[in-house]
Amino acid sequence: MAIPAQLERNLKLPVICAPMFIVSNPDLVIAQCRSGVVGSFPALNARPMEMLDDWLLRIKRELAADPQAAPFAVNQIIHPSNARLEHDMALCVKHEVPLVITSLSAPTAIVPQVHAYGGLVFHDVISVRHAQKAIEAGVDGLILVCAGAGGHAGTLSPFALVGEIRKFWDGPIALSGAIASGSSILAAQAMGADFAYIGTRFIATREANAVAAYKQALIDAAAGDIVYTPYFTGVHGNYLKQSIVAAGLDPANLPARDKSAMDFGAAAADSNGAKAWRDIWGAGQGVGAIDEILPATDVVARLQDEYRSAKAALCSTRF
């Protein structure tokens, strides 16, 4: 196991910040990278699509001016409803994005484009089967989206999934699933991951593109307030119960919905007019660790202090 040299530069913590639909923006990405962790955003967040070029120019310019900044990443959704994929990938190639994070389908066509300029591709997986397909496509790293992760997440325990994938993959692994503290980052490494993959904790930051009520709801919530359902997009995901109730829905009685409901061009509204991500707020089970809204820089500094304390405490134990 080793962190690729392209990503290790200026890292203060082994953390990749998850790209969050609507929430992640250049302000957040730049703050994350300047703090010493890999910042990221979904290409689809730049709307209209012509704005993506401006976002990439700004992020590259501001990070280039800071010799201590960590690299950044862009997330590409490989799905038939994403009509922008070819356009957005062309811009990632043009700007030589250091890390491209791919989701849903195996990135067979994307890997060669990124490798041609020396970039890396990490792919989201929720099972061994998905991991094997991603490896066959030539990815450089795997992102294990385990139980408790915010947004679209799997159901497997990280203990199980990391262990099974490490039997056949010795490349980089980023682990996702309720990681919101420095001790959780250390635990991810102890299980065999190279990075912790953190999303929800960065929604409750000043830079995040989330309404104040969303950020406050994260502070007020606990793990038991997270609802796992396919109702809003056709794929199972974790959402804040408070936002579901506010939309006039019963979290305990949400109908089933299949993958045909998924549309990354424009998220479909339910019969009450509530839209996933805009009105129904994604969140992971690590919400209990969030107690205030801070600048992203302060969040990373706190994670770093917690990580060091956890590491020292562990090393001081007898066993």
Side-chain angles (χ1 to χ4, degrees), residues 18-26 29 39-56 59 72-78 82-93 97 99-103 110 264-265:
M20 296 175 286
F21 193 52
I22 299 178
V23 171
S24 300
N25 59 16
V29 172
S40 74
F41 70 95
L44 287 171
N45 280 8
R47 295 172 185 257
M49 64 182 184
E50 291 76 16
M51 189 178 292
L52 179 58
D53 196 33
D54 296 334
W55 280 25
L56 290 171
I59 291 170
F72 74 100
V74 174
N75 174 225
Q76 297 286 7
I77 302 295
I78 309 173
N82 182 10
R84 292 177 42 171
L85 181 58
E86 184 176 349
H87 168 273
D88 292 351
M89 270 307 305
L91 286 176
C92 285
V93 172
V97 171
L99 173 63
V100 174
I101 296 171
T102 52
S103 305
I110 287 178
F264 288 95

Side-chain angles (χ1 to χ4, degrees), residues 89-249:
M89 270 307 305
L91 286 176
C92 285
V93 172
K94 171 187 172 182
H95 291 285
E96 298 189 352
V97 171
L99 173 63
V100 174
I101 296 171
T102 52
S103 305
L104 295 184
S105 298
T108 306
I110 287 178
V111 169
Q113 298 179 59
V114 178
H115 283 178
Y117 64 80
L120 301 173
V121 178
F122 280 25
H123 188 67
D124 286 349
V125 304
I126 62 170
S127 68
V128 167
R129 180 174 65 86
H130 290 146
Q132 290 169 333
K133 285 186 174 182
I135 293 168
E136 290 171 3
V139 300
D140 304 286
L142 300 173
I143 299 169
L144 278 52
V145 188
C146 295
H152 294 140
T155 59
L156 293 177
S157 161
F159 290 97
L161 191 55
V162 173
E164 291 189 16
I165 288 178
R166 276 297 179 213
K167 290 179 179 179
F168 58 86
W169 171 253
D170 61 1
I173 284 178
L175 182 61
S176 173
I179 298 178
S181 67
S183 58
S184 298
I185 297 170
L186 183 63
Q189 288 182 299
M191 278 190 279
D194 303 284
F195 298 94
Y197 197 64
I198 303 178
T200 303
R201 183 62 191 88
F202 286 97
I203 302 173
T205 58
R206 294 180 185 171
E207 296 88 351
N209 182 34
V211 296
Y214 187 176
K215 297 178 183 182
Q216 185 59 46
L218 294 172
I219 294 172
D220 297 338
D225 296 312
I226 304 303
V227 178
Y228 188 64
T229 175
Y231 176 67
F232 299 104
T233 67
V235 174
H236 273 88
N238 282 315
Y239 306 93
L240 278 170
K241 182 186 297 183
Q242 177 179 323
S243 65
I244 298 173
V245 173
L249 300 168

Side-chain angles (χ1 to χ4, degrees), residues 1-74:
M1 296 181 292
I3 293 177
Q6 301 101 305
L7 300 183
E8 191 173 26
R9 178 175 57 87
N10 294 335
L11 273 188
K12 293 181 179 178
L13 278 174
V15 168
I16 297 174
C17 300
M20 296 175 286
F21 193 52
I22 299 178
V23 171
S24 300
N25 59 16
D27 289 342
L28 182 57
V29 172
I30 291 166
Q32 290 168 332
C33 294
R34 284 179 169 170
S35 301
V37 294
V38 177
S40 74
F41 70 95
L44 287 171
N45 280 8
R47 295 172 185 257
M49 64 182 184
E50 291 76 16
M51 189 178 292
L52 179 58
D53 196 33
D54 296 334
W55 280 25
L56 290 171
L57 282 169
R58 180 191 166 198
I59 291 170
K60 288 176 61 181
R61 181 179 65 250
E62 296 199 24
L63 295 185
D66 184 352
Q68 300 303 313
F72 74 100
V74 174

Side-chain angles (χ1 to χ4, degrees), residues 248-272:
L249 300 168
D250 180 358
N253 292 287
L254 295 172
R257 186 174 286 181
D258 62 30
K259 292 182 179 179
S260 64
M262 183 177 286
D263 184 352
F264 288 95
D270 78 334
S271 59
N272 291 4

